[in-house]
Amino acid sequence: MTRFLIGTIAAAGHVNPALPIARKLVECGHEVWWYTGKGFKDKIEATGAHHIPIRTGIDLTDINSIPQSWLKQKDALKGVAQFKFYLKHGFIDSAVTQLEDLTEILREYPADVLLCDVFFLGMSWLHEKTNLPWAAFGLSALPFTSCDTAPFGLGIKPNYSVLGRSRNSFLNWLSQNIIMRDVTVHLDRVRVTVGLPPKSQDFFTAALSPFLYLQGTTPSFEYPRSDLPPQVHFIGTFLPPAPTDFTPPAWWDDLKCGKPIIHVTQGTVATEATDLIFPTIQALANEDVLVVATTGGQPVENLQLNLIPPNIRLEKFIPHAYLLPYTDVMVTNGGFNGVQIALANGVPMVTAGQTEEKPEICARVQWAGVGIDLKTSTPTSKQIRDAVMKIINSSQYRQRAESFKAEINNYDASTLAIKLLEQLASTKEPVFRANK
């Protein structure tokens, strides 16, 4: 039996991928404690793990712990500036209180192995303080610098030619030394405050565990890299279990109408309906399709729609395990987990997301041939209609998505993760891919 200590940012996209891992670890006889926001207590305890709430610092599930000045400053920024704000004041600053809390937890629970999401920087600092082996899991596209790719966050597709590699080299230098330099300086400054030496590492290099990195997708979704670190393992998609308490809405049989089913979702974080839901409804209101829109949890009444077209179905939330088997096209802002679940169901996508790391995910959707990237967070109705109709009328997108479904079905993500984590626990040494 091994004692695992998990740490995750208190947001659904960071917690949900680790739920199958925690459940499988417990089933295999290991002890698991999990540090994250108090709003995830029930989900975590349902896996058999012991939940530890965030004691100091920002808990995104507790609005009272989030300074209003922080929210206002974040919302006032766009693009790269907002991305850098998240890195500096969302993830790096939070690592200070994460380290403080985790150090206290270790006195009560002497963990053998540490596990965290890639943005939970405090765990790597805890490793530096204790020498405990630590693993990280990816919940987005691979963010690490490569000679084969442009810097993470720009949404630029790879180019493997001599000219392309020169482009990558220049852009990576520009990113590290100019554009993102202030993030690296901030990281070193904060490290010093907790008694760690400066390393002059960019954020993502600092977040890459030298022991084990579990990437929650299949190789076909990621740009090929000749310099992929040997401790990075593709383990497939973390599929959430279908909830047993789902009651289908009264209109559920409409999904069998024989018309194309279009699902539009704002995700669970960026839930502004004017970005995708409204323009999609407007785009497809007069088409021979059925549109199922989910609001990301906010009440449907909040949309204040005076007249709902007859081919539109609106709900706060529908589990994808039940809806996606009927879906022909998903319109999404490009959240990583939603994209992966769509691919696991063979559903092609129209993506429209430019916040956080979404440009990278949207770019990969188009690069992989499983959808169309609109390259904006606020597409027009015409852009959405044209993209949806192009996918409906072209079999290539569905065929590519079906090939991803078949590939994903060949992976058992939680079993692979546990096998690799148990190897790390046994050897306390880096776990490299077999071909390295």
Side-chain angles (χ1 to χ4, degrees), residues 104-408:
E104 288 296 320
I105 291 165
L106 280 183
R107 295 192 177 100
E108 181 182 358
Y109 177 68
D112 303 303
V113 176
L114 311 174
L115 174 64
C116 65
D117 73 69
V118 65
F119 295 103
F120 191 93
L121 194 60
M123 200 65 87
S124 68
W125 293 0
L126 186 66
H127 155 72
E128 290 187 64
K129 295 278 190 176
T130 65
N131 284 323
L132 287 170
W134 70 287
F137 61 89
L139 40 82
S140 184
L142 283 176
F144 312 116
T145 300
S146 168
C147 64
D148 296 317
T149 62
F152 184 77
L154 300 180
I156 297 176
K157 294 177 184 177
N159 186 325
Y160 301 100
S161 66
V162 173
L163 184 61
R165 284 199 167 190
S166 296
R167 177 207 70 178
N168 298 337
S169 177
F170 171 72
L171 290 177
N172 283 322
W173 178 89
L174 186 69
S175 175
Q176 293 174 4
N177 293 280
I178 307 295
I179 299 173
M180 303 296 288
R181 179 61 184 167
D182 57 319
V183 177
T184 301
V185 170
H186 184 79
L187 174 56
D188 276 346
R189 186 181 300 123
V190 177
R191 282 177 57 87
V192 170
T193 67
V194 297
L196 294 172
K199 286 187 172 181
S200 296
Q201 289 182 326
D202 67 87
F203 176 86
F204 294 110
T205 299
L208 174 61
S209 166
F211 291 91
L212 176 62
Y213 188 86
L214 306 169
Q215 179 62 0
T217 187
T218 58
S220 295
F221 188 73
E222 189 53 64
Y223 302 146
R225 297 165 181 245
S226 59
D227 51 2
L228 183 69
Q231 72 272 31
V232 175
H233 296 255
F234 290 94
I235 60 173
T237 298
F238 294 113
L239 295 176
T244 57
D245 59 350
F246 172 63
T247 302
W251 53 263
W252 195 250
D253 284 345
D254 294 349
L255 294 172
K256 304 172 185 176
C257 64
K259 300 177 181 180
I261 307 299
I262 314 302
H263 171 43
V264 55
T265 171
Q266 270 305 149
T268 57
V269 179
T271 57
E272 180 55 58
T274 55
D275 289 348
L276 279 186
I277 293 178
F278 286 176
T280 301
I281 290 174
Q282 184 179 4
L284 303 175
N286 297 316
E287 300 296 333
D288 193 26
V289 300
L290 182 70
V291 177
V292 180
T294 53
T295 65
Q298 65 171 305
V300 172
E301 298 76 22
N302 289 2
L303 300 184
Q304 297 182 342
L305 286 171
N306 296 325
L307 181 64
I308 300 176
N311 69 331
I312 307 297
R313 304 293 181 268
L314 282 171
E315 298 291 335
K316 288 173 58 177
F317 173 75
I318 300 175
H320 278 153
Y322 292 97
L323 178 59
L324 288 182
Y326 294 97
T327 302
D328 294 284
V329 181
M330 185 166 86
V331 181
T332 170
N333 62 6
F336 185 75
N337 292 330
V339 165
Q340 294 301 309
I341 294 170
L343 292 177
N345 285 273
V347 179
M349 287 159 280
V350 174
T351 61
Q354 291 293 299
T355 60
E356 298 93 28
E357 82 285 16
K358 290 183 178 68
E360 291 291 342
I361 300 161
C362 295
R364 282 160 173 78
V365 166
Q366 183 153 315
W367 169 82
V370 294
I372 297 172
D373 176 14
L374 298 181
K375 300 180 180 179
T376 176
S377 292
T378 55
T380 65
S381 294
K382 184 180 186 304
Q383 285 177 302
I384 293 174
R385 182 195 176 279
D386 290 349
V388 168
M389 291 305 167
K390 182 176 181 180
I391 291 176
I392 288 176
N393 294 319
S394 175
S395 62
Q396 67 182 30
Y397 294 102
R398 170 64 70 171
Q399 290 170 356
R400 283 294 296 156
E402 287 289 346
S403 72
F404 269 85
K405 177 181 178 180
E407 182 180 15
I408 290 169

